[in-house]
């Protein structure tokens, strides 16, 4: 329907409202779906008119449209069910349970069972979780508040909750204007025309006698309307925004702070610079809605906002929702968990001003100091990996003001160092104007990326954020501003509103609300969304001076720590539901000049540096748990930082250095890393050994066999003679081998064993809670892990068997294979980033499926040629790269159903596609053993590289490609080899070929989620776990460890890596079964056997993956 037609509907709605055609108004609202009348909806809910409520809702959404809609219908039907139980009308309750609530059992069977059990109670309030259920009126009001939040959050209601602003009787006015115009066009206009109908155009009839005066400039008439009609205010869905928020029964997190803030929290201006960052249209309404909806049906709290009623009844989140992982059930924290014992003291050479551990590599520490230098330390080896002194990268692009400061030789120090969450970027803020961004691809690969003149004066803090799926850097400074940049240096937002220099920032997100806390040196706390609406919060921090804010590791608890101008220190926990202080921690004894620093450890501990020592608190106890002086030498206010695991703590010292404190697990981690010479993040490999020379064979990593092994040492492709190598007995390690099922954890997914359909493609869902398999027959199967006491995170695990999931409709995700020869087809599959949609094909058309309902949303790309590989564009789910049987690549826009570009460069069918947003390229591989590099901007081919094939091997066969997390290196997998390419240089840098105990052809390989490992499946059933940077074999998993005995010919065809657990992977077998495999809990990871154990566990078949040159060293 056109925009004008839509507006006409609104005019008719206004007219019907003014004329008091109430039933007609609401029927048109529902049938048109243009305006959801919240006032009418409220009235029906509060009156308990459940049939009308659902009928009205049905004009805007259906139960299975999305998780918000599902939750809305569930809450309504659950309330109806509880009211029937409250009336002791068991028959009606059973009817509601069977007809209305059963549909939700598909999504959470345990919840449905518990609701069913309420029938057995004389009074459902006997259920502890429903004991606070009040009277019907109160319960309806609480439920209504929750549903209104769900409606505001539901994208299907976007732009349907606000009636347009119209003058009263707008339709009458337009008709009057039309009549006047018609009268002006009359050939014989009469002074007082008598208009009797609107069905035909007006025309004055001739009258006897002289012509009357023209009435061109006079209004003909007006269509009168009855007096005292009510205004259209009834169509306003909510009170004014402030009142709506203030009246919310369950204000939560950031939005409730806005509602209850002081008078100074009025919206302040924000300067928004033109940018490419997309902003959701409903961002403001999201903020006015304090809390985003629970992911799927649950039970509402009838007692108070902070109590989550029936927590254990809440189902697992749907696959499209991004949430913080639920904390695992674990023993209460103890002193042994705290890193209080000194492991080492290291000298930096200048006062350390900031520290940050790598988010994935727990023994890598980034340090910034007063000299302006940054240093990356490897704590396992107690050495500096790389240092970068301060220097200006491009003086010509700096402001004259900054150039004048440099001319005066003003000293510049580091104020903050920070890692991006994926560990691929480093940010450095300085005391004058600048921030530097580096890309990090390894210990010796720290590259300058962007230099940004961010603020006037000092840049006091820097943090990475990811609003709207775009990596950004947030900064604050002495110029009283908070700014948001992308990593290329383009400014997206400038937030104004602070009246003093901004001291710190804390970007965060609560479900789908992205926001930034900022604190200034006047003690003001403000909060910002990524929009132009200004600050949403204006609060005073304790002490009203310098304060830092941090969240717990799971993102659920907010803390702040700071100092007043008088030297009093404060450590508090905030109640986000009320914007008030929930808990104040005690233990600060002295007034000291300066500002205390603090950090949080996982979800248990707080640590503060004060009075020359480190003090620790249990988050749930206001009194000091313990303290340590780290064997002395600490400054009065030491800086400190935990690593991600909380087993190491870096603390600054008074002698221009820092100390590392550890708990028992931390000591084990340091020893393990020190003994793991294969870990390339700790032991850089001489690039001269394995670097590929253009036009020459690529260096291969050879598996050196342990002494006593009868297996022949393979020859390297570059001709190096391994017989010349020497082995240093003191450093020799033994490869870990998994030979028995008891040596690893594994589970077989249900309803897969014995299937005759091969698993040819395998994916984890991006949320980590499910696995999707595509069979050779074109059918897809989905398994989900349910959140329960055995698996509180709801993530995939080998210790819990998942559910084979299907929607209640019984639909299957089946591709159209009519007329397809399945033996020759190349099935392909790709999953959207939010797990909402999956597209796949098996020789026929590409089908786009809804992951919740399994419905086919659309089909496209009718063969021939058939589609052979699919990849979503990383920045736009509507753009898909499709590899074809005829060797072309189609860049297809789903939204407009159009092929935007057709790429030609391969000679045979496309077998792999991978995007890099860092390099702005698409990499493709084909059955011609070629790898092509394409520009995303122009879709022009930059280069084509041939895979170096073994002697006598034809250049054909499927080749797959996958980017490392650094988005620079790329893994190429062919049956003859693993190869690592540097995509920035478009050349191969490392290669491994099957040999020795792993001599069978490779069937599949994939990076682990952190790109530290490569899981490789072989056609003989072996699985190899390789170090991703050196291609050394870390672990071999024998077929006897995971395949049933007596099944000859059974082998893995495809491997998939868990998106969050680096040591978990899954394999799809040629009999249709799928297995999830993890190390034992005692081991925790795949890797080498410690040297002491290797002596006693020598195996003739054990191999080491060191090259001869490395063994000589």
């Amino acid at each position: 329907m056109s925009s004008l037609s839509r507006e006409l509907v609104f005019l008719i709605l206004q007219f019907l409202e003014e004329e008091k055609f109430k039933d007609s108004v609401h029927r048109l609202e529902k049938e048109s779906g243009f305006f959801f009348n919240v006032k009418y909806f409220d009235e029906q809910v509060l009156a308990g008119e459940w049939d009308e409520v659902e009928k009205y809702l049905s004009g805007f959404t259906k139960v299975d449209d999305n998780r918000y809609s599902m939750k809305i219908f569930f809450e309504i039907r659950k309330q109806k069910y509880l009211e029937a139980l409250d009336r002791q009308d068991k028959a009606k309750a059973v009817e509601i349970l069977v007809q209305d609530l059963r549909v939700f059992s598909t999504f959470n069977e345990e919840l449905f069972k518990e609701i069913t059990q309420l029938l057995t109670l004389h009074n459902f309030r006997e259920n502890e979780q429903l004991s606070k259920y009040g009277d019907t009126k109160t319960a309806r009001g609480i439920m209504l508040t929750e549903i209104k939040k769900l409606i505001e959050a539901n994208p299907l209601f976007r732009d349907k909750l606000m009636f347009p602003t119209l003058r009263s009787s707008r339709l009458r006015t337009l008709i009057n204007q039309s009549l006047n115009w018609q009268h002006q066009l009359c050939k014989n206009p009469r002074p007082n025309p008598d208009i009797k109908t609107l069905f035909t155009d007006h025309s004055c009839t001739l009258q006897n006698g002289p012509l009357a005066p023209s009435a061109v400039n006079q209004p003909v008439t007006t269509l009168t309307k009855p007096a005292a009609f009510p205004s259209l205010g009834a169509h306003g869905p909510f009170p004014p925004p402030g009142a709506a928020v203030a009246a919310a029964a369950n204000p939560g997190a950031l939005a409730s702070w806005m509602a209850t803030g002081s008078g100074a929290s009025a919206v302040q201006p924000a300067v928004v610079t033109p940018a490419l960052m997309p902003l959701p249209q409903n961002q403001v309404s999201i903020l006015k809605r304090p809390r985003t909806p629970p992911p799927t049906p649950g039970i509402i709290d009838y007692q108070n906002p902070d109590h989550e009623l029936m927590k254990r009844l809440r189902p697992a989140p749907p696959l499209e929702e991004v949430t913080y992982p639920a904390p695992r059930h674990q023993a209460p924290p103890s002193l042994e968990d705290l890193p209080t014992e000194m492991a080492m003291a290291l000298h930096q050479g200048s006062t350390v001003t900031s520290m940050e551990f790598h988010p994935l590599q727990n023994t890598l520490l980034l340090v910034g100091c007063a000299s302006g230098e940054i240093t990356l330390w490897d704590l396992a080896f107690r050495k500096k990996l790389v240092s970068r002194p301060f220097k200006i990268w491009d003086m010509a692009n700096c402001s004259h003001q900054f150039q004048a400061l440099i001319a005066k030789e003003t000293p510049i120090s580091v104020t903050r160092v920070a890692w991006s969450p994926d560990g691929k970027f480093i940010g450095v803020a300085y005391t004058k104007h600048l921030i530097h961004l580096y890309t990090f691809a390894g210990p010796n690969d720290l590259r300058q990326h962007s230099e940004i003149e961010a603020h006037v004066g000092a840049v006091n803090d820097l943090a990475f954020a990811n609003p709207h799926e775009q990596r950004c850097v947030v900064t604050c400074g002495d110029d009283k501003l908070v700014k948001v940049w992308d990593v290329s240096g383009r400014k997206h937002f400038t937030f104004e509103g602070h009246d003093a220099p901004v001291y710190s920032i804390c970007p965060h997100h609560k479900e789908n609300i992205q926001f930034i806390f900022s604190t200034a040196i006047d003690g003001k706390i403000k909060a910002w969304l990524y929009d132009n609406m200004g600050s949403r919060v204006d609060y005073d921090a304790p002490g009203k001076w310098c304060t830092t804010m941090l969240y717990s590791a799971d993102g659920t608890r907010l803390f702040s720590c700071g100092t007043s101008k008088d030297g009093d220190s404060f450590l508090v926990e905030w109640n986000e539901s009320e914007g008030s202080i929930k808990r104040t921690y005690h233990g600060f004894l002295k007034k000291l000049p300066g500002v205390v620093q603090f950090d949080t450890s996982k979800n248990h501990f707080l640590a503060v540096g004060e009075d020359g020592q480190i003090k620790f608190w249990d988050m749930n106890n206001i009194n000091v748990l313990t303290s340590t002086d780290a064997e002395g030498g600490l400054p009065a206010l030491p800086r400190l930082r935990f690593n991600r695991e909380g087993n190491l703590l870096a603390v600054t010292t008074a002698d221009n250095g820092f100390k590392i404190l550890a708990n028992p697990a931390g000591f084990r981690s340091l020893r393990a890393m020190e003994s793991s010479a294969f870990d390339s993040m700790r032991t850089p490999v001489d690039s001269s050994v394995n670097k590929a020379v253009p036009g020459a064979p690529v260096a291969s990593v050879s598996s050196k066999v342990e002494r006593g092994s009868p297996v022949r040492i393979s020859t390297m492709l570059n001709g190096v003679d391994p017989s010349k190598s020497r082995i240093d007995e003191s450093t020799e390690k033994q490869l870990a081998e998994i030979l028995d099922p008891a040596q690893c954890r594994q589970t077989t997914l249900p309803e897969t064993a014995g299937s005759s359909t091969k698993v040819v493609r395998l994916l984890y869902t991006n949320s980590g809670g499910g696995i999707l398999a595509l069979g050779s027959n074109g059918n897809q199967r989905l398994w989900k892990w349910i959140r329960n006491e055995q698996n509180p995170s709801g993530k995939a695990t080998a210790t819990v068997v998942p559910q084979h999931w299907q929607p209640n409709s019984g639909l299957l995700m089946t591709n159209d294979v009519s007329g397809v020869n399945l033996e020759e087809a190349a099935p392909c599959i790709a999953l959207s980033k939010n797990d909402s949609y999956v597209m796949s094909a098996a020789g026929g058309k590409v089908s786009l499926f809804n992951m919740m309902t399994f419905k086919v949303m659309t089909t496209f790309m009718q063969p021939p040629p058939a589609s052979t590989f699919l990849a979503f564009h990383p920045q736009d789910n509507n753009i898909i790269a499709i590899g074809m049987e005829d060797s072309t690549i189609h860049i297809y826009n789903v939204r407009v159903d159009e092929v935007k570009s057709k790429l030609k460069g391969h000679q045979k069918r496309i077998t792999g596609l991978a995007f890099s947003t860092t390099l702005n390229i698409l990499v493709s591989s084909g059955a011609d053993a070629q790898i092509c590099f394409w520009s995303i901007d122009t879709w022009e081919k930059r280069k084509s590289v041939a895979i170096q094939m073994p002697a006598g091997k034809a250049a054909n066969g499927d080749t797959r490609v996958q980017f490392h997390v650094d988005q620079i290196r790329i893994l190429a997998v062919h049956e003859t080899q693993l190869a690592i390419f540097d995509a920035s240089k478009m050349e191969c840098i490392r290669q491994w070929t099957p040999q020795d105990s792993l001599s069978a052809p490779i069937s599949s390989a994939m990076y682990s989620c952190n790109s530290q490992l490569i899981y490789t499946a072989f056609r003989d059933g072996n699985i190899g776990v390789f170090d991703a940077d050196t291609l050394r074999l870390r672990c071999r998993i024998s077929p006897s460890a995971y395949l049933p005995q007596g099944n000859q010919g059974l082998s893995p065809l495809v491997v998939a890596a868990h998106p969050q657990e680096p040591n978990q992977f899954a394999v799809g077998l040629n009999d249709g079964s799928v297995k999830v495999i993890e190390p034992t809990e005692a081991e925790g990871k795949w890797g080498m056997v410690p040297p002491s154990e290797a002596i006693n566990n020598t195996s003739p078949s054990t191999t080491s993956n060191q090259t001869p040159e490395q063994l000589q060293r």
Side-chain angles (χ1 to χ4, degrees):
M1 185 176 288
S2 69
S3 176
L4 289 179
S5 297
R6 186 173 185 272
E7 291 180 2
L8 180 58
V9 172
F10 281 111
L11 294 175
I12 296 171
L13 284 172
Q14 183 194 41
F15 174 78
L16 294 173
E17 177 76 25
E18 291 173 339
E19 298 296 327
K20 297 186 177 181
F21 295 117
K22 296 295 185 181
D23 292 340
S24 300
V25 169
H26 304 313
R27 182 168 182 175
L28 180 57
E29 289 167 350
K30 179 180 74 73
E31 291 183 351
S32 68
F34 289 156
F35 174 65
F36 185 82
N37 190 330
V38 177
K39 184 176 183 296
Y40 172 70
F41 182 75
D42 290 358
E43 293 170 352
Q44 299 304 305
V45 169
L46 294 176
E49 299 291 341
W50 304 119
D51 292 341
E52 175 60 22
V53 167
E54 287 209 25
K55 184 178 178 182
Y56 188 71
L57 270 174
S58 67
F60 303 87
T61 185
K62 301 294 186 292
V63 173
D64 59 357
D65 280 345
N66 57 40
R67 69 180 188 274
Y68 300 101
S69 299
M70 183 186 300
K71 176 67 174 171
I72 291 168
F73 279 96
F74 176 79
E75 292 300 339
I76 291 169
R77 295 175 183 182
K78 182 195 65 185
Q79 180 62 30
K80 182 168 60 169
Y81 175 67
L82 293 178
E83 290 184 15
L85 290 176
D86 208 21
R87 297 192 307 268
Q88 297 299 314
D89 189 349
K90 294 293 182 71
K92 183 64 176 179
V94 170
E95 178 185 332
I96 296 169
L97 186 70
V98 173
Q99 296 183 4
D100 297 338
L101 288 171
R102 180 175 292 277
V103 66
F104 302 105
S105 64
T106 305
F107 305 97
N108 193 323
E109 187 174 353
E110 290 301 318
L111 175 64
F112 181 75
K113 289 179 180 178
E114 188 134 1
I115 291 177
T116 303
Q117 289 173 2
L118 296 178
L119 286 167
T120 64
L121 303 178
H122 176 71
N123 185 340
F124 65 80
R125 293 173 181 82
E126 296 172 17
N127 183 298
E128 180 182 356
Q129 307 299 330
L130 292 170
S131 61
K132 300 299 181 182
Y133 183 98
D135 58 78
T136 298
K137 182 178 179 181
T138 302
R140 288 176 182 174
I142 294 173
M143 181 204 67
L144 179 60
T145 300
E146 188 77 9
I147 287 180
K148 286 164 72 170
K149 296 173 194 171
L150 292 164
I151 289 172
E152 287 186 22
N154 195 328
L156 295 177
F157 288 83
R158 189 172 300 163
D159 301 327
K160 297 180 180 180
L161 300 178
M162 188 66 68
F163 198 86
T165 303
L166 303 174
R167 292 185 177 180
S168 60
S169 306
R170 178 60 181 163
L171 184 58
R172 295 176 183 276
T173 301
L174 291 175
I175 294 173
N176 290 336
Q177 292 171 348
S178 173
L179 293 173
N180 275 292
W181 178 250
Q182 293 174 33
H183 186 61
Q184 291 179 31
L185 296 179
C186 286
K187 296 180 179 179
N188 303 296
R190 298 172 58 183
N192 295 304
D194 183 15
I195 298 178
K196 296 181 178 180
T197 181
L198 297 177
F199 294 161
T200 58
D201 288 345
H202 163 70
S203 178
C204 292
T205 56
L206 291 175
Q207 56 183 344
N208 298 327
L211 290 175
S214 173
V216 171
N217 294 321
Q218 303 289 333
V220 176
T221 184
T222 59
L223 295 176
T224 60
K225 71 185 187 76
F229 275 124
S231 69
L232 200 62
H235 268 93
F238 290 110
V245 177
N250 192 8
L254 182 60
S256 68
W257 286 38
M258 287 177 272
T260 57
S262 61
S265 64
V267 173
Q268 298 159 340
V271 179
V272 184
T273 56
L276 300 177
M277 183 184 295
L279 290 175
Q281 296 179 3
N282 67 336
Q283 185 78 328
V284 175
S285 66
I286 287 175
L287 258 178
K288 292 173 181 174
R289 164 184 53 82
R291 188 165 16 170
T292 50
T296 49
I299 302 294
I300 292 179
D301 177 5
Y302 290 98
Q303 181 182 8
N304 62 71
D306 295 322
H307 175 67
E308 294 184 45
L309 190 58
M310 294 184 77
K311 285 183 178 178
R312 61 193 180 84
L313 294 186
R314 293 190 183 276
L319 297 177
E320 69 266 30
E321 178 162 354
V322 178
T323 61
Y324 287 95
R328 294 180 180 271
H329 293 313
Q330 47 194 323
S334 69
L335 290 177
E336 291 186 359
D337 297 325
L338 288 171
T340 56
E341 298 296 323
M342 194 181 80
M344 66 187 74
L346 300 171
H347 187 66
Q348 176 66 34
S350 177
T351 301
V352 176
T353 56
S354 181
M355 301 178 292
E356 188 85 9
F357 280 94
H358 191 282
L360 303 175
Q361 301 297 311
N362 287 324
T363 60
L364 290 187
L365 180 67
L366 180 63
V367 176
C369 51
S371 66
E373 180 184 44
I374 63 167
T375 303
L376 182 62
W377 287 84
D378 187 329
L379 301 181
F381 289 91
R382 307 188 182 197
K383 68 177 183 179
K384 297 180 180 180
L385 294 177
V386 63
S387 291
R388 293 287 186 269
F390 172 76
K391 67 176 182 179
I392 300 171
W393 299 348
D394 188 356
M395 180 65 82
N397 281 335
C398 295
S399 67
H400 295 299
Q401 181 181 3
F402 181 60
Q403 293 183 32
L405 282 174
I406 298 302
K408 296 178 183 178
E409 299 184 353
T410 304
I412 294 181
S413 302
V414 174
T415 58
R416 182 78 163 90
V417 294
W419 292 95
S420 63
D422 55 10
K424 296 194 294 186
F425 282 86
I426 287 173
V428 186
Y430 296 97
T431 52
K432 300 297 179 185
H433 292 239
L434 291 182
I435 66 170
H436 282 164
L437 299 180
Y438 295 86
T439 57
F440 176 74
N444 294 317
D445 197 356
L446 193 62
R447 307 181 187 183
Q448 297 178 0
H449 186 76
S450 299
E451 181 177 64
I452 305 171
E453 188 171 352
H455 295 271
V456 176
V459 183
N460 294 321
D461 201 2
L462 172 150
F464 286 89
N466 194 35
H468 321 304
E469 303 298 328
Q470 181 171 357
R471 181 186 286 112
C472 289
V473 179
V474 184
T475 61
C476 65
D478 281 351
D479 54 6
K480 309 176 185 178
L481 301 176
V482 177
K483 299 183 180 182
V484 181
W485 317 79
D486 62 26
V487 291
S488 65
R490 185 187 298 111
K491 182 167 62 178
H492 288 279
F493 298 104
T494 298
F495 297 128
E496 297 178 349
H498 278 293
D499 297 322
V502 186
Y503 177 73
S504 72
I505 48 177
C506 178
H508 194 59
H509 68 91
K510 283 287 189 180
E511 294 170 327
N512 65 338
I513 303 178
Q514 302 267 356
F515 57 92
I516 305 166
F517 280 120
S518 61
T519 67
I521 64 171
D522 60 0
K524 291 295 184 184
I525 299 174
K526 294 184 182 293
W528 320 81
L529 286 181
Y530 296 86
D531 62 10
N532 61 351
M533 299 298 292
S535 170
R536 288 357 193 247
V537 164
D538 189 350
Y539 268 78
D540 289 327
K544 298 185 179 181
W545 197 41
C546 297
T547 295
T548 303
M549 306 185 80
L550 289 175
Y551 275 90
S552 58
D554 61 3
T556 61
R557 300 176 69 174
L558 176 63
F559 302 89
S560 71
C561 182
T563 305
S564 70
K565 292 182 179 179
D566 297 329
D568 294 314
S569 296
F570 301 88
L571 176 63
V572 302
E573 180 179 3
W574 290 88
N575 185 331
E576 289 184 286
S577 297
E578 300 174 2
S580 60
I581 293 174
K582 179 179 181 179
R583 183 180 285 114
T584 299
Y585 298 89
H586 303 313
F588 297 102
L589 303 178
K590 292 187 177 182
K591 292 187 176 183
L592 297 170
V595 182
V596 293
Q597 305 293 320
F598 89 118
D599 199 8
T600 69
S601 173
K602 301 182 79 72
N603 304 309
H604 283 161
F605 300 112
L606 301 167
V608 176
E610 188 233 12
D611 194 22
Q613 56 185 325
I614 307 300
K615 297 181 178 180
F616 299 93
W617 284 263
D618 181 333
M619 288 181 176
N620 298 316
N621 193 319
I622 62 174
N623 297 312
V624 174
L625 181 63
T626 189
S627 63
T628 179
D629 64 358
E631 300 184 11
L634 305 187
L637 295 172
R639 298 178 181 274
L640 70 165
R641 187 66 65 190
F642 285 101
N643 69 350
R644 184 187 62 173
E645 297 301 324
N647 54 32
L648 298 178
L649 177 65
V651 183
T652 58
T653 59
D655 60 353
N656 296 338
F658 59 93
K659 293 182 177 182
I660 300 299
L661 308 183
N663 62 14
F667 280 107
R668 288 195 297 270
S669 174
L670 291 171
R671 285 194 295 268
M673 293 301 174
E674 187 175 5
S675 65
S676 299
F678 57 81
D679 193 335
S680 67
M681 299 297 288
R682 278 75 183 165
T683 309
V685 179
D686 185 353
S687 61
S688 64
V689 174
N690 292 321
K691 186 171 178 63
V693 179
V698 178
S700 173
V701 178
S702 172
S703 278
K704 177 67 181 68
V705 180
E706 291 291 325
R707 294 179 175 180
S709 170
V711 184
R712 177 183 59 84
I713 299 174
S714 65
T715 303
M716 297 181 67
L717 293 184
N718 61 359
V720 177
D721 184 4
S723 65
K724 297 180 181 179
S725 66
R726 297 189 196 131
I727 301 177
D728 183 351
E729 303 247 18
S730 64
T731 60
E732 186 175 5
K733 311 291 189 302
Q734 182 178 14
L735 176 72
E737 284 201 324
I738 308 296
L739 305 175
D740 187 86
Q743 293 178 274
C744 63
R745 291 178 291 167
Q746 56 181 290
T747 186
T748 301
L749 304 195
E751 300 184 39
T752 62
S755 169
S756 60
T757 302
K758 297 183 292 186
V759 177
V760 291
R761 298 291 179 265
L762 194 66
L763 298 172
Y764 277 89
T765 58
N766 294 297
S767 68
I771 286 181
L772 188 64
L774 174 61
S776 57
N777 60 356
N779 290 344
Q780 294 162 104
R781 293 172 292 169
L782 175 65
W783 294 268
K784 291 183 182 181
W785 275 259
I786 302 302
R787 182 176 299 168
N788 51 36
E789 292 182 0
Q790 290 75 33
N791 184 26
S793 71
K795 302 295 183 182
T797 174
T799 59
V800 176
V801 178
Q803 292 182 359
H804 183 211
W805 195 89
Q806 280 185 273
N808 200 44
S809 63
L811 283 177
L812 300 176
M813 281 194 286
T814 303
N815 281 286
D816 180 8
V817 293
S818 55
V820 175
N821 184 344
L822 293 176
E823 294 296 325
E824 298 179 358
C828 48
I829 189 171
L831 187 62
S832 65
K833 288 183 295 183
N834 61 3
D835 292 331
S836 295
Y837 303 99
V838 61
M839 61 177 176
S840 61
K845 294 182 291 185
V846 177
S847 299
L848 184 67
F849 296 90
N850 183 308
M851 281 282 283
M852 181 176 289
T853 64
F854 285 11
K855 293 179 180 178
V856 177
M857 310 302 291
T858 185
T859 59
F860 48 92
M861 305 304 292
Q862 172 74 42
S867 303
T868 56
F869 204 90
L870 303 167
F872 280 101
H873 191 290
Q875 296 173 327
D876 188 348
N877 273 343
N878 292 302
I879 303 297
I880 303 170
I882 307 176
M884 309 300 288
E885 179 70 32
D886 66 354
S887 79
T888 62
I889 302 168
H890 292 188
I891 307 301
Y892 176 76
N893 189 316
V894 178
R895 188 186 299 275
V896 297
D897 190 21
E898 180 181 346
V899 175
K900 293 294 186 180
S901 298
K902 185 181 291 188
L903 316 184
K904 297 181 179 180
H906 288 276
Q907 303 304 313
K908 296 182 179 180
R909 73 175 184 275
I910 305 301
T911 58
L913 295 167
F915 284 94
S916 169
T917 52
T918 299
L919 299 177
N920 215 32
I921 60 172
L922 168 67
V923 176
S924 62
S925 59
D928 54 1
Q930 295 283 323
I931 296 179
C932 295
F933 300 81
W934 312 83
S935 167
I936 291 178
D937 294 329
T938 62
W939 300 115
E940 294 179 353
K941 187 167 77 170
R942 293 184 180 179
K943 190 176 181 180
S944 180
V945 178
I947 293 178
Q948 185 71 35
M949 303 297 291
K953 180 69 177 179
N956 57 31
D958 288 1
T959 305
R960 297 295 165 84
V961 286
Q962 181 193 4
F963 267 104
H964 188 282
V965 293
D966 65 10
Q967 292 278 288
I968 295 174
R969 285 171 285 178
I970 194 166
L971 170 66
V973 182
H974 187 267
E975 64 176 9
T976 64
Q977 63 191 273
L978 302 176
I980 305 295
F981 285 78
D982 183 334
S984 64
K985 300 175 182 177
M986 303 180 193
E987 63 183 33
C988 183
I989 57 176
R990 196 161 283 113
Q991 186 185 52
W992 181 91
T993 57
Q995 55 203 263
D996 304 326
S997 60
L998 296 178
S999 58
I1002 297 169
S1003 58
S1004 179
M1006 176 168 280
Y1007 275 126
S1008 63
C1009 63
N1010 60 3
S1011 295
Q1012 296 293 301
L1013 306 174
I1014 298 174
Y1015 296 112
T1016 307
F1018 295 82
R1019 291 183 187 170
D1020 62 358
N1022 277 295
I1023 298 173
V1025 182
F1026 291 81
D1027 182 270
D1029 289 310
T1030 63
L1031 294 184
R1032 297 176 188 158
L1033 184 63
R1034 295 177 65 161
C1035 178
R1036 181 179 75 89
I1037 303 173
S1038 168
S1040 61
Y1042 73 100
L1043 295 180
Q1045 295 182 355
N1047 278 294
Q1048 299 298 326
L1050 196 60
S1051 66
L1053 296 181
V1054 62
V1055 63
H1058 192 284
Q1060 287 117 31
E1061 296 292 340
N1063 288 291
Q1064 184 189 132
F1065 66 93
V1067 289
L1069 307 182
N1070 55 0
D1071 70 343
S1073 60
V1074 177
K1075 292 180 177 288
V1076 175
I1077 304 176
E1078 291 181 285
T1080 62
E1081 287 189 286
E1083 292 293 334
K1085 63 180 181 180
W1086 308 108
M1088 296 291 208
V1089 175
S1092 60
E1093 298 179 26
I1095 295 173
N1096 300 320
N1097 293 282
T1098 304
S1099 168
S1101 63
T1102 303
T1103 61
S1104 168
N1105 240 37
Q1106 293 175 316
T1107 64
E1109 292 86 345
Q1110 292 158 347
L1111 292 171
Q1112 286 175 344
R1113 295 199 294 272

